[in-house]
């Protein structure tokens, strides 16, 4: 039988020291605990930290986009080298996988990526994925590595995705860890604190949003901290961090691709009536649209959001966005057919 797949994502803040250097004690713990899991799972490590590892080599580093790209180019081999040093005692080889957004949007490229990972796993090699910051452009890049980890988890049919961060989990108003979130709704999303770390791009809002996407597509997510003893092993068992439950529903592979792999070209804000119709598996009509944000052409994928901006679905458009603005008074104009709408 094939081993189940798990994806473990490490944010920059979770693997660096207070001064921004890579924390080798944390890397040693990642190696020790991952080695214990490898016998039972195929594992993908998604690790930030390349910029943090490389920026010290750029005099008077100010964090401009060209400097970040240069730091990533320097830091990527350094970071993988540190990982390799601590995995070596366990006789586990590592492979670097620098990914770009179009690798998931292009089906052929994604299948090549999947075949490569499966070959690595058959040979007991663990891929370490990171965004290819050196060449990624502003329009076609991941929002952060939380997105990359989620795309890998969904695309490969992972059992779980673990998000390691600088805090011990999702915290309530009193600062206590919430052990489990059955459904990530607006109330759960409101728990996210808005600040980001000094070395990372994401934050708790990002992790909850992508944990929500993973949950809706049948994957359990855990948000945890590496600063806990046996953190990865305990997160796998739901004994540390915040466990976000997978929703019990089957999602066709085509819909999974629409929800994650496809490039989102815009947003359509809808009223309550339209949302209720979507939940009943009906098509999206122009009459329910209150605003269009961004532009898209016929056949492109857009997000369906409510009045507060929460994403409820993705859909493949039947008409271009420019036409929608002029058709909102026509009840029979179909923007997206029910079969081309994925509820999230």
């Amino acid at each position: 039988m094939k081993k189940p797949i798990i994806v473990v994502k490490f944010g920059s803040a979770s693997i660096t020291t207070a001064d921004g250097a890579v924390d080798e004690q944390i890397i040693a713990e990642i190696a020790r605990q991952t080695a214990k899991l490898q016998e039972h799972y195929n594992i993908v490590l998604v690790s930030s930290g390349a910029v943090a590892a490389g920026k010290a080599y750029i005099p008077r580093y100010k964090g401009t986009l060209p400097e970040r790209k240069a730091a990533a180019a320097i830091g990527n081999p350094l970071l993988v080298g540190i990982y390799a040093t601590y995995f070596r005692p366990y006789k586990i080889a590592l492979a670097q996988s620098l990914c770009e957004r179009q690798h998931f949007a292009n089906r052929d490229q994604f299948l090549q990526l999947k075949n490569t990972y499966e070959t690595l796993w058959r040979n007991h090699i663990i891929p370490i994925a990171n965004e290819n910051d050196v060449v990624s452009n502003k329009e076609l890049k991941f929002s952060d590595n939380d997105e990359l980890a989620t795309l890998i988890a969904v695309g490969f049919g992972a059992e779980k995705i673990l998000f390691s961060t600088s805090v011990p989990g999702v915290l309530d108003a009193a600062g206590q860890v919430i052990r489990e979130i059955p459904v990530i709704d607006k109330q759960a999303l409101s728990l996210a604190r808005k600040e980001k770390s000094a070395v990372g791009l994401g934050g708790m809002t990002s992790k909850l949003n992508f944990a929500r996407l993973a949950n809706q597509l049948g994957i359990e997510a855990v948000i945890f901290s590496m600063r806990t003893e046996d953190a990865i092993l305990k997160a796998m068992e739901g004994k540390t961090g915040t466990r976000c439950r997978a929703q019990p529903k089957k999602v066709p592979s085509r819909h999974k691709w629409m929800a994650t792999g496809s490039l989102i070209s815009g947003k359509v804000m809808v009223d309550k009536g339209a949302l209720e119709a979507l939940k009943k598996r009906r098509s999206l009509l122009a009459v329910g649209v209150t605003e269009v944000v961004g532009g898209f052409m016929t056949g492109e994928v857009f997000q369906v959001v409510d009045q507060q901006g929460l994403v409820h679905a993705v859909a493949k458009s039947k008409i271009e966005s420019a036409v929608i603005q002029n058709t909102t008074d026509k009840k029979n104009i179909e923007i997206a057919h029910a079969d081309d709408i994925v509820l999230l």
Side-chain angles (χ1 to χ4, degrees):
M1 292 181 63
K2 282 188 175 182
K3 295 179 184 178
I5 298 167
I6 58 171
V7 178
V8 192
K9 184 265 178 177
F10 302 98
S12 295
S14 69
I15 62 167
T16 55
T17 60
D19 60 0
V22 176
D23 190 332
E24 296 196 22
Q25 289 185 343
I26 292 294
I27 304 297
E29 275 300 296
I30 291 171
R32 180 183 70 83
Q33 295 175 54
T34 303
K36 290 186 177 182
L37 292 172
Q38 194 193 29
E39 182 180 348
H40 305 288
Y41 295 94
N42 286 328
I43 300 169
V44 182
L45 303 181
V46 179
S47 181
S48 304
V51 173
K55 65 183 182 181
Y57 294 85
I58 299 177
R60 297 177 295 279
Y61 178 82
K62 294 184 176 62
T64 63
L65 183 58
E67 286 178 335
R68 285 185 61 83
K69 287 178 177 289
I74 298 165
N76 268 314
L78 295 175
L79 182 63
V80 174
I82 294 170
Y83 272 106
T85 297
Y86 289 98
F87 272 88
R88 195 169 294 120
Y90 304 100
K91 296 181 170 53
I92 297 175
L94 304 175
Q96 185 176 50
S97 173
L98 295 178
C99 299
E100 299 169 34
R101 188 62 181 81
Q102 61 262 29
H103 294 160
F104 295 86
N106 183 296
R107 183 69 178 167
D108 289 338
Q109 289 187 353
F110 172 73
L111 290 176
Q112 290 181 43
L113 179 68
K114 188 175 183 180
N115 289 337
T116 300
Y117 277 27
E118 288 173 348
T119 301
L120 292 172
W121 289 329
R122 282 196 299 272
N123 290 279
H124 312 292
I125 299 168
I126 296 176
I128 297 185
N130 194 3
E131 178 165 14
N132 191 355
D133 289 310
V134 178
V135 299
S136 291
N137 60 45
K138 188 175 181 181
E139 289 75 22
L140 290 175
K141 72 182 272 89
F142 303 101
S143 57
D144 52 44
N145 271 346
D146 296 330
E147 181 181 11
L148 171 57
T150 304
L151 265 58
I152 291 173
V154 174
F156 285 35
E159 179 181 282
K160 291 185 182 182
I161 180 169
L162 311 181
F163 295 102
S164 175
T165 184
S166 57
V167 292
V170 181
L171 307 180
D172 62 19
Q176 299 299 308
V177 175
I178 299 170
R179 289 301 176 194
E180 184 170 309
I181 301 177
V183 178
I184 300 177
D185 53 15
K186 289 181 182 179
Q187 182 178 358
L189 290 171
S190 71
L191 296 167
R193 300 185 179 187
K194 302 302 181 185
E195 69 270 13
K196 300 176 183 177
S197 72
V199 291
L201 291 177
M204 191 57 72
T205 299
S206 171
K207 284 163 186 61
L208 280 172
N209 274 308
F210 286 110
R212 177 176 180 263
L213 177 58
N215 291 168
Q216 293 295 330
L217 298 175
I219 300 170
E220 181 175 296
V222 181
I223 299 171
F224 74 107
S225 170
M226 278 301 298
R227 311 290 170 178
T228 304
E229 184 179 0
D230 287 334
I232 300 172
L233 300 176
K234 288 181 178 177
M236 282 294 295
E237 298 175 354
K239 293 181 179 179
T240 191
T242 300
R243 183 182 186 183
C244 306
R245 290 277 191 177
Q247 300 305 301
K249 61 180 181 181
K250 292 185 178 180
V251 182
S253 58
R254 175 175 174 272
H255 281 188
K256 285 184 178 180
W257 178 83
M258 280 182 59
T260 58
S262 58
L263 294 172
I264 303 298
S265 300
K267 295 181 181 180
V268 171
M269 187 174 290
V270 299
D271 58 27
K272 290 182 179 180
L275 284 179
E276 289 302 316
L278 293 183
K279 291 175 184 177
K280 295 176 182 177
R281 302 304 307 151
R282 294 176 182 169
S283 299
L284 177 61
L285 303 180
V287 68
V289 175
T290 61
E291 185 180 352
V292 178
V293 180
F296 50 84
M297 302 299 291
T298 301
E300 292 186 330
V301 178
F302 61 85
Q303 292 178 328
V304 181
V305 302
D306 62 19
Q307 300 301 305
Q308 286 73 47
L310 181 65
V311 180
H312 289 266
V314 294
K316 184 178 178 181
S317 63
K318 291 189 69 175
I319 58 176
E320 60 184 88
S321 56
V323 177
I324 297 175
Q325 300 285 16
N326 301 320
T327 59
T328 53
D329 60 337
K330 301 175 183 178
K331 295 183 180 181
N332 62 336
I333 298 296
E334 189 177 71
I335 296 175
H337 189 272
D339 292 342
D340 291 326
I341 299 173
V342 185
L343 295 176
L344 302 178

